[in-house]
Amino acid sequence: MTLLTVWPESGPEETLVRTSDPEEIATTLKEHGVRFSRWSVVDGVTAENALRAYEDEIARVSETEGYGYVDAMEMTPADTDEYRAKAVEFRNRFLAEHTHDDDEDRYFARGAGVFYLHIGDKVYAVLCTAGDLLSVPANTTHWFDMGTRPDYVSVRFFHDDDGWIGNFTGSDIATRFPTFDELVSAAGSGM
Ligand SMILES: [Fe+2]
């Protein structure tokens, strides 16, 4: 279930907004220049066939936003040391607050991930699930949690080769908010 939770930047003690309505999520984020929309989910998508499965949607976004390069990423749980090592490495990569020089545009073809956008004096946590397309505008402070058992296929859009590099702010704000695992478990229990 897609879920937007908004807290004050001071911490999650008080919840300002909590909604799983895609229209409300899109409207709330649009005020900050963040694009959120949904595509129809194609079943059985992998990193290998994602670009073909969503050819038309990808072409539309690339043309509208001027993206020159698109790729697909996949993490599929497996009982192997390789998966466990990758899960830790990939999760930690963007788990602290950072910005990018380029927009970070992601489509979730399968699975889930949480983008935490730190805008003004609030934190907007967007739990993205299959069918969600989210854009984090360039220079927006944010972090990303794929959980301790990453499971997703995502499509990434780029304007240039190194726009995805993280500029870390050094803030520990990310440690004060619920993790992917905690948000998913709360969403599942209908909290
Ligand atoms: Fe990022």
Side-chain angles (χ1 to χ4, degrees):
M1 178 181 74
T2 307
L3 177 69
L4 168 69
T5 315
V6 184
W7 299 287
E9 65 179 349
S10 53
E13 286 73 26
E14 180 193 0
T15 300
L16 305 174
V17 176
R18 184 181 164 85
T19 177
S20 33
D21 174 15
E23 295 267 317
E24 194 181 346
I25 294 173
T27 308
T28 305
L29 296 176
K30 199 178 173 185
E31 288 170 27
H32 304 289
V34 176
R35 282 180 291 106
F36 173 84
S37 57
R38 290 191 41 85
W39 295 348
S40 304
V41 176
V42 177
D43 288 332
V45 167
T46 64
E48 282 69 43
N49 65 21
L51 302 188
R52 210 165 47 243
Y54 289 100
E55 203 172 359
D56 295 346
E57 291 89 343
I58 289 169
R60 208 169 56 233
V61 169
S62 296
E63 193 179 317
T64 311
E65 305 300 328
Y67 289 114
Y69 177 63
V70 180
D71 73 5
M73 286 279 291
E74 176 171 359
M75 284 289 281
T76 298
D79 192 18
T80 61
D81 289 341
E82 190 196 351
Y83 170 75
R84 281 185 285 271
K86 256 167 89 174
V88 172
E89 186 198 332
F90 285 18
R91 178 173 184 238
N92 286 339
R93 197 171 280 173
F94 291 113
L95 199 52
E97 190 186 63
H98 63 278
T99 64
H100 304 285
D101 296 340
D102 194 359
D103 301 332
E104 183 169 357
D105 231 315
R106 291 285 181 280
Y107 173 69
F108 286 82
R110 198 197 75 206
V114 181
F115 275 99
Y116 301 78
L117 315 177
H118 182 193
I119 302 173
D121 57 3
K122 297 187 181 74
V123 169
Y124 300 75
V126 193
L127 167 58
C128 294
T129 54
D132 293 343
L133 173 69
L134 182 77
S135 78
V136 181
N139 304 313
T140 303
T141 44
H142 68 281
W143 64 96
F144 179 73
D145 190 357
M146 60 179 72
T148 53
R149 195 172 162 76
D151 182 3
Y152 65 87
V153 174
S154 80
V155 176
R156 313 186 297 174
F157 297 81
F158 303 90
H159 285 111
D160 57 52
D161 287 349
D162 55 7
W164 60 273
I165 291 170
N167 311 306
F168 288 86
T169 64
S171 165
D172 67 353
I173 185 169
T175 64
R176 299 201 294 268
F177 288 86
T179 61
F180 171 97
D181 290 16
E182 289 165 341
L183 279 173
V184 167
S185 130
S189 68
M191 232 179 84

